[in-house]
Amino acid sequence: MEPVMMALNALGAMKRAYDTKQLRDQIARIESTVQALGARIDQILDISVMAAFEHLATADRATNDDFRRQELNLARGKFVEMTKRPTESMAHPGEQDLSAQQVTAIGHAGNFSYFMMNGEVSLALLEAYRCTERFPALGVQLFPKAVFSRDYSATGRAMVARRASRDRVRANHEASLKAHQADRGAYYRELAWKVPAAGAVFLGFLAAGMVAPPLAGQAGARAAGILAGTGDRAISDVPGPKPKLNYDSNAIDPPEEIELMRQASAESAQRRATLERSV
C-alpha cells in the first residue's frame, strides 16, 4: 500500500494549487498527443472533451455555488460518457484512428481533473491509473511522476513522436502507391489501343506490299513507330516496381521503450486494483 499512499500524498499536495491553468495544460497535452499520433479524432476531442474542460474551467471561475455545481456536473457527464460509450468508428479503428481504449483513457483523464477540483484525491488517483492503464503514452505525460514508481514521461513523449514520424511515412507511401497505380493504369490503357493498332498497320502494309513491294518493307518500322512514339508513352516505358513501405530506423520504437510502456500500464493496473480495495 505504501506506493499508493505516496501517490495520494503527492496528489494531496497538488490539489491545493489545482486551477484553470493546470486544466489548460492538461487539455493542451491531450490535444498535442492525439494530433501527433495523426489520429482522426472526428467530433470526440474537438467537441466532447473540449466542451467538458471548458465546463470545468468555468466551474473553477464561478462564484455562485449552484452554478459551479451545474458546470461540474455537465463536465462529469461528458467524461463518463467517453469512458462508457466510445463511438462505433472508434470501436473499430483504422490505422490512424484512436482505439476505443484510447478514447476511454481520455475520458478518465477528464475525470481526474473533475475529482481534483472537488478535492477527491483518491478518486482522482484512480482515474489517473485507469487512463494510464489504457493509454500509457498519454497517461505518463499527464500525471505527476510521483504517482508512478519512476518517471516514464520522456519515454511517452518519444514514443508519440515516433508514431507521428511513422504516420508521415505511411501517408507519403500511400500517396506514392496511388501515383504508381495511376501510372500502371495509364500504361496498360495505352497498350490496349497501341498493340492492336500496331498489328493492324503491320498487316496492312504487308498486304499493300503485295501490290507495291516497297510498302511491305515498311510494315515493321511503321508498327514499331506506333508502339514507340504515338500517344503519351512508349511501350518500353514500363512502370517501376510497387513502392515499399520503409520506416527510418529512428521511427521504430526500441524494444526497451515498448517494455517501459507495458510496465507503466501494468503498474497502473496493479495500483488501481489496490486503491479500489481501499476506497
Side-chain angles (χ1 to χ4, degrees), residues 25 27 34-35 65 67 86 94-95 133 159 174 180 182-184 193-194 200 202 209 212 226 258 262 273:
D25 291 345
I27 188 58
V34 172
Q35 289 168 1
D65 287 343
F67 180 69
E95 283 291 327
E133 182 180 352
M159 293 189 75
E174 288 174 356
H180 179 261
D183 189 44
R184 283 178 59 86
W193 70 264
K194 271 189 173 182
F202 183 80
I226 291 174
I258 296 174
R262 188 201 65 77

Side-chain angles (χ1 to χ4, degrees), residues 9-28:
N9 290 337
L11 287 192
M14 178 183 174
K15 79 170 183 178
R16 291 190 289 273
Y18 201 80
D19 57 15
T20 305
K21 179 182 182 301
Q22 287 170 302
L23 286 174
R24 288 197 301 266
D25 291 345
Q26 183 162 335
I27 188 58

Side-chain angles (χ1 to χ4, degrees), residues 3-230:
V4 173
M5 285 301 302
M6 292 174 61
L8 285 170
N9 290 337
L11 287 192
M14 178 183 174
K15 79 170 183 178
R16 291 190 289 273
Y18 201 80
D19 57 15
T20 305
K21 179 182 182 301
Q22 287 170 302
L23 286 174
R24 288 197 301 266
D25 291 345
Q26 183 162 335
I27 188 58
R29 174 57 63 186
I30 291 171
E31 278 193 298
S32 64
T33 297
V34 172
Q35 289 168 1
L37 291 177
R40 291 187 292 270
I41 58 179
D42 298 325
Q43 302 289 308
I44 291 179
L45 191 62
D46 282 342
I47 295 178
S48 294
V49 177
M50 290 294 286
F53 272 93
E54 182 59 33
H55 285 306
L56 288 183
T58 300
D60 185 59
R61 297 189 297 267
T63 56
N64 180 283
D65 287 343
D66 289 339
F67 180 69
R68 181 178 187 274
R69 281 193 294 272
Q70 180 182 358
E71 289 296 304
L72 286 172
N73 288 337
L74 287 170
R76 171 72 167 152
K78 289 183 177 294
F79 290 134
V80 170
E81 183 177 346
M82 291 186 68
T83 65
K84 300 299 183 184
R85 293 182 302 183
T87 66
E88 183 66 21
S89 62
M90 295 300 101
H92 302 283
E95 283 291 327
Q96 292 176 286
D97 289 325
L98 286 176
S99 70
Q101 287 279 67
Q102 290 170 330
V103 171
T104 299
I106 293 171
H108 287 303
N111 283 335
F112 168 85
S113 293
Y114 169 85
F115 287 124
M116 286 294 288
M117 290 182 65
N118 283 280
E120 297 286 352
V121 175
S122 295
L123 295 177
L125 184 58
L126 266 177
E127 295 300 307
Y129 287 142
R130 287 167 177 159
C131 172
T132 309
E133 182 180 352
R134 290 163 174 78
F135 196 172
L138 175 65
V140 297
Q141 298 179 68
L142 286 180
F143 308 117
K145 63 182 180 181
V147 307
F148 306 110
S149 63
R150 59 183 296 175
D151 185 358
Y152 297 102
S153 59
T155 300
R157 288 192 298 271
M159 293 189 75
V160 168
R162 290 193 202 94
R163 165 67 186 270
S165 176
R166 292 195 297 273
D167 284 343
R168 288 191 294 271
V169 172
R170 186 185 298 111
N172 291 334
H173 175 252
E174 288 174 356
S176 297
L177 276 179
K178 288 181 180 177
H180 179 261
Q181 290 167 355
D183 189 44
R184 283 178 59 86
Y187 176 75
Y188 287 112
R189 284 193 297 272
E190 191 91 358
L191 290 190
W193 70 264
K194 271 189 173 182
V195 172
V201 168
F202 183 80
L203 292 175
F205 271 79
L206 285 181
M210 300 291 292
V211 178
L215 292 178
Q218 299 177 28
R222 294 297 182 111
I226 291 174
L227 294 175
T230 304

